[in-house]
Amino acid sequence: MNLRRTMLFIPGNNPGMLQNGGVFGADSVILDLEDAVAPQEKDAARLLVAQALQTVDYGTSERVVRINPLDTFGAEDIQMIVPCQPDVLLVPKVEGVQDIEKVTALVAQAETAGQKPVQLIALLETAKGIALAYEIAQSKGRLTALALGAEDYTAGLGATRTKEGKEIFTARSLVINAAAAAGIQSLDTPFTDANDEAGLYQDTLTGKELGFKGKLAINPRQIDVIHGVFNPTPAVIEWAEEVVHAIRKAESEGSGVASLHGKMVDAPIVARAEYILKLARRLGLEVMQ
Amino acid sequence: MKNSIGRDLPEVIEGYGQPIPYSGAFEARPAMRRQAPKVKTIHPRDQKLVDTLEAVFQQIPITDGMTLSFHHHFRNGDGVVNQVLATAAALGIKNLKVALSSVFPVHETLIAYMKSGVVTALDTNYMSGPVAKAVSEGVLATPVVLRTHGGRARAIECGQLPIDVAFIAAPAADEYGNLNGVQGPAACGSLGYAFPDAEYADHVVAVTDYIAEYPLAPISIPQCLVDYVVKVDCAGDPRGIVSGTTKITKDPVGLKIAAMAAKVIEAAGLLKNGFSFQTGAGGVSLAVAHFIRQRMEQEHIVGSFALGGITGYMVDMLEKGFFKKLIDVQGFDLEAIRSIKTNPNHLEVSANFYASPFNVGCAVNRLDVVVLGATEIDVDFHVNVVTGSDGVIMGGSGGHADAAAGAKVTIVVANLLRGRLPIIVEQVLTATTPGETIDVLVTERGVAVNPQRPELLRQLLAAGLPVKEIQDLKAMAEKIAGVPRKLTTSDRVVAVVEYRDGSVIDVVRQVHQ
């Protein structure tokens, strides 16, 4: 599964940002054709993003394009963007499994022979999308993650958007649970105040503790803070190492259950520890074994 | 002939003479004595206050062919240069040399005086705006001499830039010629760049719009050096002299570069108690200070001093205890003025103290780190801060070459691509600061270390920084933007770029119009 601690939005109509999108170390860049671009500039942005995909080196960052909804410019976006080999399309305002099916059909049509299949991430940002999260998550094939878009969602509810985020607690939990049940990733809504580092940290931590695997970012300055939350700390890595060591020892003694500092270590705990060590190795963090 | 970094210089430069070729950053061994300033006296009852600039011109008297000097602490709000030259023009004086430490867009009127023959020579450390463009296009028959801030002090003190009359824009003066930069409507802070002029010029004229009761306090430039005090209606426009507050950049690429530069400083083992630091007032340079400050806070590090052009950000670091002292040759904003006025640990120093290579101890020599910009840097690490991509003059060394020579580690921060242009080139159009004094280049796509610094290279690699060969960074930029077509210039020399020791590091040739 791809590492998506951070997915950084890059305005699709900003050549300077498109050119430099790869230098910030985000796990994914989202070249945005939707909200960042005014309707009269959609065609120009589409051309720019198509060129960027073919010419700009985004390094290790996964290349995601946020297309427009199918009822506006989505079909045209797919037709031009997909042959330029993005890794993923972020599909906005998904409200049902049929939305993913329609996009899937258009993507399949647009793909060129031998092209690596383009994956999809569904952005759930309406009450209906959240209500049908599990059904959407079960779309087979290209869907690799669900992402929450809380600004549109709370606006639609008439809820007050706060930095603490109690108004989106249920939506977050539904998205996380739906994705986990379907075996795909869940990604948290962006924190929209780029100048509030402490607020970003707290919001990211809240999302991570609920179970999100990553977070959308609206400014490159947010990346280090978000990574800081999602990266395992030395103490957590040490704990994971002890867990794995304890279970190996128990297995060699013919037992499937071990004990660590008086607490039982069983399969789910081992799976979590192994995920942490895998993540740590992937990030080049210090791992003993 | 070629100098030691391979730059082609004419044997004789018309209007300048025979250049001494640059032969290395620390090769010059001065065998001379300082210029002795003219000995003057004054009768106890004599007055120094003069009503008008015309009257001063007549009393001195100022005649054709003289050198008039000015400082640039009023930056783009300066009103003194224009008023003095208007007076010269009205009196029919010709062939003046203007020795103005930096030229700004507000000095556009100089062009008309150059065309009419009032001004026929220019000596400066930095120029931007219309005058720089006109010079590049050949408005003057003799080449402009471009110096460093330290080099200008040296040239004045050692007799290569003799000054007939120094006009010192003074925010505050008393009637007997004591001056400071911290009071009055045109307050600018430190008067550091005017000190050598006041000390060595044959005649010293203070031009002010604020006369305080005698004796003025504090005193930056003392009465014993100043011959005349002229009160004008307005010496400068505060809006052009100081900015409200200087802010760190919000540009994400600039921030990325700044954060990386801070990591380089730490990896080089320099971020510890007693740390000394200089950075520019530009957004990216200031952002380096911001990231350094975060680390100093986390690690409880107390630095020794910050140097150079001082901004409110550095004042805040002084007041919060991150540095023990500020050494200030030029203040950029209201906070810098407030601080130098009130804080004994905020020191006003001269250009000589700051950066002259021909004394036994300038402040840049005590720097651990300086962070500098570049318009171009080449694969030998030579830096251009004089000409832009079109060959037109758009800056100058200022303190660039001085601080680079003095600091233990000199870091150049630059976007690998500026607009559509790669910042790294095979050979810079104009060499300003020699590669031997540049240690590290930090860009958004990687860090390059001067091969002459293998120990530093090891330190940065050990810290896991993205170190690349400068050639590889260049190739990376060219892959994105292509290789720009080489600029062609005419043979005519429009400016001579002097290194801080007075040798010639390069020349600027006229651009095709």
Side-chain angles (χ1 to χ4, degrees), chain B residues 21-211:
Chain B
Y22 169 83
S23 59
F26 306 101
E27 292 304 310
R29 296 279 175 275
M32 63 178 97
R33 290 190 172 272
R34 284 186 185 220
Q35 167 91 338
K38 186 174 169 182
V39 178
K40 295 177 279 188
T41 185
I42 186 170
H43 187 276
R45 303 297 157 255
D46 282 354
Q47 301 293 311
K48 293 188 184 179
L49 260 182
V50 180
D51 288 339
T52 61
L53 286 167
E54 279 100 332
V56 162
F57 267 67
Q58 279 152 1
Q59 284 186 34
I60 288 175
I62 294 175
T63 54
D64 288 2
M66 279 189 165
T67 297
L68 310 186
S69 86
F70 305 87
H71 69 72
H72 73 278
H73 287 286
F74 284 11
R75 287 174 285 273
N76 205 35
D78 180 45
V80 171
V81 172
N82 291 341
Q83 290 179 61
V84 169
L85 293 180
T87 307
L91 294 172
I93 295 168
K94 300 276 183 193
N95 291 325
L96 294 172
K97 179 195 273 192
V98 169
L100 165 57
S101 50
S102 294
V103 181
F104 287 89
V106 72
H107 300 122
E108 182 171 4
T109 51
L110 259 173
I111 299 170
Y113 299 131
M114 288 169 170
K115 286 179 177 162
S116 63
V118 176
V119 175
T120 49
L122 180 61
D123 191 302
T124 189
N125 311 339
Y126 174 97
M127 54 177 157
S128 61
V131 177
K133 184 161 181 285
V135 165
S136 303
E137 290 168 358
V139 71
L140 285 175
T142 57
V144 171
V145 180
L146 284 172
R147 304 180 192 272
T148 72
H149 283 332
R152 180 177 192 270
R154 169 202 54 75
I156 292 171
E157 293 174 354
C158 299
Q160 288 97 30
L161 177 54
I163 298 167
D164 293 300
V165 186
F167 283 92
I168 297 182
D174 63 32
E175 59 174 23
Y176 211 51
N178 292 300
L179 317 176
N180 74 42
V182 297
Q183 294 161 354
C188 63
S190 174
L191 286 178
Y193 291 123
F195 286 22
D197 306 49
E199 225 173 310
Y200 286 86
D202 282 358
H203 305 274
V204 177
V205 181
V207 183
T208 188
D209 54 15
Y210 180 78
I211 303 252

Side-chain angles (χ1 to χ4, degrees), chain A residues 19-20 23-24 195 220-221, chain B residues 252-253 255-256 417 444-445:
Chain A
Q19 174 186 290
N20 289 318
V23 307
F24 303 111
N195 293 321
R221 302 202 313 260
Chain B
V253 176
L255 284 171
K256 158 109 187 172
L417 290 163
E444 72 278 21
R445 291 169 198 266

Side-chain angles (χ1 to χ4, degrees), chain B residues 379 381 439 449-454 469:
Chain B
V379 293
F381 287 81
D439 300 305
V449 181
N450 189 326
Q452 292 173 27
R453 299 297 303 269
E469 296 285 337

Side-chain angles (χ1 to χ4, degrees), chain A:
Chain A
M1 187 172 281
N2 283 335
L3 194 56
R4 295 194 184 101
R5 294 165 301 170
T6 43
M7 304 188 76
L8 173 65
F9 279 108
I10 308 276
N13 56 353
N14 183 331
M17 285 297 290
L18 286 171
Q19 174 186 290
N20 289 318
V23 307
F24 303 111
D27 291 332
S28 312
V29 289
I30 304 172
L31 315 183
D32 189 12
L33 295 173
E34 197 212 12
D35 285 352
V37 181
Q40 65 271 23
E41 287 183 19
K42 294 289 184 191
D43 49 352
R46 199 182 294 128
L47 269 168
L48 260 179
V49 168
Q51 288 298 321
L53 286 169
Q54 292 171 83
T55 55
V56 177
D57 179 5
Y58 288 101
T60 55
S61 300
E62 176 183 60
R63 305 172 323 152
V64 182
V65 176
R66 175 158 75 170
I67 57 171
N68 289 284
L70 285 186
D71 57 6
T72 61
F73 305 91
E76 291 159 80
D77 292 341
I78 291 171
Q79 203 182 357
M80 183 178 284
I81 296 300
V82 166
C84 301
Q85 318 222 351
D87 298 306
V88 180
L89 295 184
L90 177 61
V91 186
K93 300 191 176 61
V94 175
E95 294 199 313
V97 73
Q98 70 285 357
D99 289 341
I100 295 297
E101 284 167 356
K102 281 184 204 158
V103 170
T104 300
L106 289 169
V107 169
Q109 252 173 41
E111 275 176 349
T112 52
Q115 179 177 347
K116 187 180 137 213
V118 176
Q119 295 184 305
L120 304 177
I121 296 175
L123 188 55
L124 308 185
E125 47 189 337
T126 60
K128 201 170 168 195
I130 298 295
L132 296 177
Y134 180 53
E135 188 187 316
I136 295 165
Q138 283 178 299
S139 307
K140 294 287 175 245
R142 295 173 186 263
L143 193 72
T144 180
L146 297 184
L148 172 63
E151 302 312 311
D152 285 1
Y153 169 69
T154 48
L157 290 186
T160 305
R161 187 77 175 97
T162 67
K163 283 196 174 170
E164 296 71 37
K166 58 186 183 303
E167 70 283 1
I168 59 168
F169 172 75
T170 303
R172 277 174 154 163
S173 299
L174 285 170
V175 169
I176 292 162
N177 195 65
I184 60 175
Q185 267 178 345
S186 56
L187 304 164
D188 199 7
T189 189
F191 185 75
T192 52
D193 183 351
N195 293 321
D196 181 2
E197 215 171 89
L200 171 66
Y201 174 82
Q202 193 49 55
D203 189 58
T204 309
L205 191 63
T206 302
K208 187 208 170 199
E209 288 176 348
L210 288 173
F212 281 116
K213 298 296 177 287
K215 190 170 179 69
L216 307 183
I218 49 127
N219 191 300
R221 302 202 313 260
Q222 298 184 321
I223 289 170
D224 282 351
V225 173
I226 299 175
H227 284 182
V229 172
F230 281 101
N231 289 355
T233 61
V236 168
I237 295 172
E238 198 181 323
W239 169 83
E241 282 168 339
E242 286 177 359
V243 167
V244 171
H245 180 73
I247 198 75
R248 296 277 175 277
K249 188 158 170 266
E251 278 166 3
S252 70
E253 289 161 3
S255 166
V257 181
S259 160
L260 181 65
H261 307 313
K263 286 183 189 161
M264 189 177 79
V265 173
D266 56 5
I269 293 191
V270 173
R272 200 165 137 211
E274 281 173 340
Y275 172 78
I276 288 163
L277 292 181
K278 199 171 127 196
L279 185 60
R281 283 198 194 93
R282 170 90 179 267
L283 298 170
L285 302 172
E286 209 137 315
V287 178
M288 300 284 280
Q289 314 160 9

